[in-house]
Amino acid sequence: MDIYDLFFYLALFAGFMMAFNLGANDVANSMASAVGAKAITVKQAVLIAGVLNFAGAVILGSHVTATVSKGIINPEAISDPKLIMIGMFASLIAAAGWVLISTLTALPVSSTHSIVGAILGFGLVAGGPDVVNWLKMVGIVMSWIISPFFAAAISYFIFSHIRKTILFKRNFIHQAKKWAPIWMALTVLLIALSFLYKTPVGKKLNLPFSGSLLLALAVAFVMWFIGKLMVSKLIGDPEEGAEAVERTFRKLQVGTSCYVALSQGANDVANAIGPVAAIYLISKEHQLLSTAQVPIGILILGGLGIAIGIALLGHKVMGTVGNKITVLTNTRGFAVDFGAATTVLAASNMGLPVSTTHASVGAVVGVGLARGFSAVNFKVLWKIVIYWLLTVPIAALTSIIIYTILKWTFLS
């Protein structure tokens, strides 16, 4: 077995580990608001997220991973492809290790930023500062600031609006029948646009913006009509009071959580299998091309890793985001999902590498702040922010150490 074959097999293991940690941390925190609001149980969340993430990764996941270095470094500036192969493997191990430590301490971190930090680290050592795309790094740093605050502002506004127009009104049943179908239609509009712009299948349709908007508006209008019928049925007994309103938003939250799970599988699996695809290419062609055709077996490996990760360790991060930052109800949980999804969609379309983790946590904080500062546990929030700040430097440093040891062992 030569060095190319050896690192390909090692990369399969490292890619599985990265996918496992992706499921245990990133995917888990996207389901946390639904669990925290008791729209679904932890077991149901694990089942939904496991099945839909696997389906998203294998069926909707991109079979071609462009810029396997994620645009952070210029691989062409590193002459020996073996160095890139070792560096990508070191990056996977470093990123997976940091996300695993974060998961075991029940804190949500971004797997995207972990792998970005790890690739940055080995790139600096292998090719020097000139191979790093510093403009891209500035965009990532900006997203750390923009995405949580943007998501918090949106979820704050949505929950405040629901309270003002429904929960605080004397005739709130009548108000719920009026406003709930509108929120259902807006949710479907968001999901439709997100599907068209965020999933590989939607992108392949290549619709112009006007066409996408018209299609999404048409689907949203149909949802508004169906929603009016559904809400009248869901709020059958006005004597139930506010619980009837919460039940309506509970149904909405289950729907948004299912979509998030499917979309996350399609998009985030690339964090785990992108570097594996790069190593696969180098092992077969002995060179790195700008795009990598991902074999279905590697996608299945990524989907399985995500599903097993959320099943075994997902409950840890779900507990923190869903219960420890603030108390969530179904209306609050809906505002969280809507705020986070809007942020991810808007920021992605502006070209910002936004983190779903940061948006989800920001949205939870925004909903909490709508009820005052005392409703937010800033002690837990501070710990999360510290982990966010440490993610890139720790992943980069670990990657440098692993890369250097492997280079001395196999290439000297």
Side-chain angles (χ1 to χ4, degrees), residues 97-183:
W98 172 244
V99 180
L100 179 62
I101 290 169
S102 305
T103 305
L104 293 175
T105 49
L107 292 172
V109 294
S110 165
S111 64
T112 304
H113 293 172
S114 300
I115 197 76
V116 161
I119 291 173
L120 168 74
F122 110 79
L124 278 172
V125 174
D130 291 342
V131 304
V132 178
N133 184 346
W134 293 107
L135 196 62
K136 183 102 177 176
M137 282 307 299
V138 169
I140 289 170
V141 172
M142 290 294 291
S143 80
W144 295 341
I145 302 162
I146 294 170
S147 54
F149 283 97
F150 195 50
I154 294 174
S155 59
Y156 179 97
F157 167 76
I158 291 168
F159 181 58
S160 298
H161 186 271
I162 291 172
R163 283 208 306 182
K164 188 178 172 186
T165 56
I166 301 176
L167 299 177
F168 284 0
K169 290 285 186 181
R170 184 175 296 173
N171 55 343
F172 60 84
I173 294 293
H174 171 76
Q175 289 292 102
K177 286 182 178 178
K178 176 184 170 185
W179 280 102
I182 294 174
W183 282 115

Side-chain angles (χ1 to χ4, degrees), residues 25 101-108 316-321 324 384:
N25 200 301
I101 290 169
S102 305
T103 305
L104 293 175
T105 49
L107 292 172
K316 286 181 173 287
V317 172
M318 275 186 214
T320 301
V321 180
K324 292 183 181 173
I384 292 171

